[in-house]
Amino acid sequence: MAEQKPPAVPAKRVQPEAVEAWDHPRVVELKEKFAESVLSAVIYAGELTCTVDAGQLTDLCSHLKTSGFTYLVDLIGIHYPEAERPFTVAYLLHNMNTQDRIRLKVEVSESEAVPTVTGIWKTAGWLEREAYDLLGIQFDGHPDLRRILTWEGFNGHPLRKDFPLRGIDTGAAVYEDRYPDGGGPVMKEAPAPPAAKSPAKEGD
Amino acid sequence: MNSILLGLVVIPLIKYLVVVAIVMTIVAWSTWAERKILGFMQARIGPNRAGPIGLLQPIADGIKLITKEDIIPSRSEKFLHLLGPILVFVPALMLFSVIPFGGESTIFGLLKEPVTLYVTDVNIGMILVLALSSLGIYGLILGGWASNNKYSLMGGLRSAAQMVSYEIPQGFAIVAVLILAGSLSLVRIVEAQAESGMWFIFPGFIAFFIFFVCAVAETNRTPFDLPEAESELVAGYHTEYSGMKFALFFMAEYANMVLVSSIGTVLFLGGWLPPFPSVTRGTMIDLPLFWFFAKVAVFLFLLIWFRATFPRYRFDQLMALGWKWLLPLAILNVIALAMLKLWVFA
Amino acid sequence: MFDIQELELNMGPQHPATHGVLRLVLKIDGERIISVDPHIGYLHRGTEKLFENQSYQANIPHTDRMDYVAAATNNQAYVGAVEKLLGIEVPERAMFIRIILAELQRIASHIVWLGTHALDLGALTPFFYGFREREMILDLFEEYCGARLTLNCMRIGGLPCDVPEGWLDRVREFVELFPEKLQDYHNLLTENRIWKLRTVDVGVISPEEAIDWGLTGPPLRGSGVQWDVRRALPYEVYDRLDFEIPIGNNGDTYDRYLVRMEEMRQSNRILEQCLKLIPEGDIIAKGVKIIKPKPAEVYFSVEAPKGELGFSIVSDGSDKPYRVKVRPPCFVNLQAIETLCKGHLIADVVAVIGTLDIVLGEIDR
């Protein structure tokens, strides 16, 4: 549309800096109510992230829900194997009226469980199941914590950093009598159906 | 003795064989017509590979179905599995023996004596039609049950419920025509239309409408094709059928379509009569077979058109339509026509 | 003496109406649904694990395969997230072309939805009519990036290449042709009595419950919540474009149907405006070669045809992402299926699956 191309401007490429955000109004408010639980507050690229203590999580979340964060956008599980508390769960919340977003992070160790937020936002049901399935994070009080993306009987948590990319032998071969583990020729004729269903296999 | 044998056995048998040959041809090519017409309505061409404009497609389909493996589910009742399609297909074919394709004719002067263009004229023809067409329902239920498949069972039960519910308003619509015609014999009904000078669709248009809707439901066509809804029950009662048995179900559906179109033609559209029968009878355009098949073709086209256009009714809505709307309407229609006949047409 | 049992019916992974490999375990009483339990994971390919093992640029084709019906918006979300992480500013021409691709993709995705939803409910014809227009869109995509379905049409910082000669004119042809075709689809279904009987009051959800379940996209807007990522958190140049967000009143299937039909019209409007406003200029930010962001985490979302599609990227200083989490709209929407189906009949489950517009590639990743 212009007659000559405008001079090429080198694109801006400055990775933003993470900035401490203790004076952000939302953080100030949370600090007032739940003083020791708010462990850190950072703003990066316009997003506010607060790390909180797992014990007070449900109270914090209920408070945030009543202050307008009615939409749980996402629940992210992250595995930091070298950290003291390897599992981090990040909750991304959104306020439908002011279009504000806030990210809450909790850190837990392998044996601790994160309190569930399914009582606060129904969305969390499957999102927590996914974090449990892929990372092994336990959620305390979840009504139906079972695997969702992998199959029943799968051993292991695929998104952990020690789970290899090409997979492991999870010992979860279904129909071992017909299709032996590790491959092998497919049976030419089906064997006689088993007399009784083994109780370990859940009905399909 | 000989002439009785000839007249009562041999000639009807020959006629019936001719009728079956013609009907099966129409059934086969109505599948081609459906695919072509559906294609054109959906902005695509339809079959055009097998033969010119796809005309040999029914033959290709037939060969495919005959040569396919007949898979029987392992824990099904083998006898009932076979009986199902038979019970659906045979009554439809049987009924073509009472449908009149024309009156008496010498076939353009080829025969010395005129021959009736129907196999037989039973004087309770209409009752025979209703009774035999109900036999098809058994076949559907058996097909669904014998497949040992929850989906097929539900499909079979649904279709049985649907067909039984829609037979009742259909019966009342037919009763309306019977009042106008004064006889149960199909040939007499057509002749009554000739005598009164107009097709029964005109005084009985409500009856025609009810009959047509029930006909669509009886043949399990869209919008009432829930029993074979592909997307809901996979294929309903004929999910587990393959090969020739599936071909029987398939042909039975189209044979039923042609049958119900023929009955509608006889009852409402004047059978083999030309339009304006009081004027045109005996003239050049009085070609009974042509008019009969043209009217059947119009019916078939309507059935195909419905399939291209409408979504499908949900089962409870379908039953509500039959019982809450069509049945009262049909009963009121009978009463109205009876009064009309008594005071106006007497 | 008699025991009434509820029937457990498996609407199994292979089924014509479940739009992919979805298994629904239905507990029914006659034909009434008592509970619906979706079993997913049949299409799980470990996409998030794969993301951690390749560089940021190399991950873009993986994103196409998630929601394979709407690949352009997947690309846009991922690429937008990386750009937010790095603070890259995309040139304006690239942003406009991205929006053109995204809106064309939205129309194409909604056409697939319309065809399959109508087909499930028995109307055979809208499928064929819609796919005729979709062919035009796919031809445009093929001209631009060489692929019809898994587009891989965006790069970090912009686009792989400029549009071919005459491509914008062909987009304009499509934009002028589309409204009357949309009217054709309306004529077939919108006032059809049978369609209304099948979709009105089926799968009703209230706005509060919809937000609580995390529904986004047409399922949320059908319940009356006027929330769209393009308006709420505008990205690229959507804040300069003029379009409406259609909403419904009752939160039933018919309303969601009307919302999506209207969205197609609004997408067409956006396309028209983009074609007028598109400037000349670069199509990719300069100097984005090797990407090694400092440790940080970011979340970026776009309005995909199915809902809010978001990417959370956690970086650790290497050239591969440390963790990428996808927020799939269909995954979250599918969770609400039990609420939507309770008390309805089996035939309505098919209608509800169609109205949620699920794509298993995105649910299972």
Side-chain angles (χ1 to χ4, degrees), chain A residues 4 9 13 18 39 41 50 65 72 77 84 93-94 99 112 117 121 124 131 137 152 158 166 202:
Chain A
Q4 43 174 277
V9 176
R13 194 218 160 148
L39 304 171
C50 294
K65 182 167 182 191
L72 172 66
E84 183 198 323
L93 308 175
H94 181 86
Q99 316 304 344
E112 280 170 33
V117 292
W121 296 282
I137 303 175
E152 297 110 34
R166 57 179 149 71
E202 203 57 37

Side-chain angles (χ1 to χ4, degrees), chain B residues 72-338:
Chain B
I72 306 181
S74 60
R75 279 190 279 185
S76 69
E77 282 274 348
K78 290 218 177 43
F79 176 61
L80 294 180
H81 198 257
L82 177 63
L83 193 60
I86 296 177
L87 265 185
V88 183
F89 185 60
V90 170
L93 268 194
M94 278 167 71
L95 275 173
F96 279 103
S97 58
V98 294
I99 306 270
F101 298 96
E104 298 211 327
S105 161
T106 54
I107 312 185
F108 302 113
L110 288 175
L111 297 176
K112 290 193 296 273
E113 298 163 17
V115 72
T116 52
L117 288 179
Y118 43 83
V119 178
T120 170
D121 176 28
V122 184
N123 55 358
I124 49 160
M126 206 55 238
I127 297 188
L128 205 64
V129 167
L130 288 173
L132 280 177
S133 60
S134 309
L135 277 185
I137 302 179
Y138 285 112
L140 289 179
I141 302 181
L142 280 180
W145 169 256
S147 303
N148 194 32
N149 178 343
K150 280 179 211 166
Y151 286 122
S152 300
L153 179 65
M154 292 183 63
L157 291 176
R158 277 183 180 179
S159 90
Q162 174 185 319
M163 289 173 90
V164 164
S165 315
Y166 278 80
E167 276 189 347
I168 304 180
Q170 188 180 39
F172 277 107
I174 294 175
V175 164
V177 168
L178 297 178
I179 291 177
L180 290 174
S183 160
L184 283 167
S185 144
L186 289 166
V187 176
R188 259 307 297 158
I189 293 177
V190 177
E191 286 173 4
Q193 292 180 71
E195 281 160 23
S196 68
M198 62 177 168
W199 296 350
F200 283 153
I201 186 175
F202 297 108
F205 54 88
I206 298 182
F208 174 70
F209 164 73
I210 296 173
F211 176 83
F212 188 67
V213 173
C214 294
V216 177
E218 289 292 310
T219 48
N220 285 336
R221 296 282 296 181
T222 319
F224 303 111
D225 66 343
L226 205 52
E228 30 179 77
E230 269 160 8
S231 42
E232 292 173 36
L233 298 176
V234 189
Y237 56 88
H238 53 74
T239 314
E240 302 283 346
Y241 282 89
S242 62
M244 203 54 212
K245 292 184 193 152
F246 176 74
L248 279 179
F249 268 128
F250 194 61
M251 284 195 294
E253 177 179 333
Y254 286 92
N256 267 316
M257 275 169 68
V258 176
L259 177 71
V260 101
S261 308
S262 311
I263 295 179
T265 310
V266 163
L267 289 177
F268 293 98
L269 294 183
W272 66 82
L273 299 172
F276 307 111
S278 44
V279 174
T280 51
R281 273 226 102 169
T283 61
M284 268 257 291
I285 64 168
D286 184 10
L287 306 156
L289 287 177
F290 167 74
W291 286 112
F292 184 85
F293 286 112
K295 294 171 199 174
V296 169
V298 167
F299 253 99
L300 286 175
F301 179 75
L302 275 178
L303 285 171
I304 296 172
W305 196 0
F306 275 26
R307 184 171 184 206
T309 321
F310 291 130
R312 145 184 335 126
Y313 269 103
R314 201 175 61 203
F315 194 59
D316 57 327
Q317 297 159 348
L318 199 154
M319 300 295 269
L321 187 70
W323 290 97
K324 290 195 212 167
W325 291 99
L326 287 181
L327 185 59
L329 188 63
I331 295 178
L332 288 176
N333 182 52
V334 165
I335 299 176
L337 267 176

Side-chain angles (χ1 to χ4, degrees), chain B residues 38 41-44 150-151 154 158 222-223 230-232 234 307-317, chain C residues 8-11 15-17 31 120-125 128-129 132 192-194 197-198 345 347-348 350:
Chain B
L38 223 54
M41 288 183 180
Q42 292 168 349
R44 59 187 176 92
K150 280 179 211 166
Y151 286 122
M154 292 183 63
R158 277 183 180 179
T222 319
E230 269 160 8
S231 42
E232 292 173 36
V234 189
R307 184 171 184 206
T309 321
F310 291 130
R312 145 184 335 126
Y313 269 103
R314 201 175 61 203
F315 194 59
D316 57 327
Q317 297 159 348
Chain C
E8 193 174 294
L9 192 61
N10 200 17
M11 221 161 147
H15 193 278
E31 280 221 9
D120 286 342
L121 292 181
L124 306 171
T125 316
F128 292 100
Y129 286 12
R132 204 180 34 192
N192 186 318
R193 190 169 176 273
I194 305 178
L197 272 177
R198 287 303 297 268
L345 307 177
D348 297 324
V350 173

Side-chain angles (χ1 to χ4, degrees), chain C residues 169-187:
Chain C
D169 296 320
R170 284 187 277 281
V171 175
R172 187 167 294 115
E173 268 173 39
F174 174 79
V175 165
E176 282 162 14
L177 167 84
F178 190 63
E180 82 175 81
K181 302 294 180 185
L182 189 58
Q183 190 55 42
D184 275 345
Y185 314 153
H186 268 294
N187 289 342

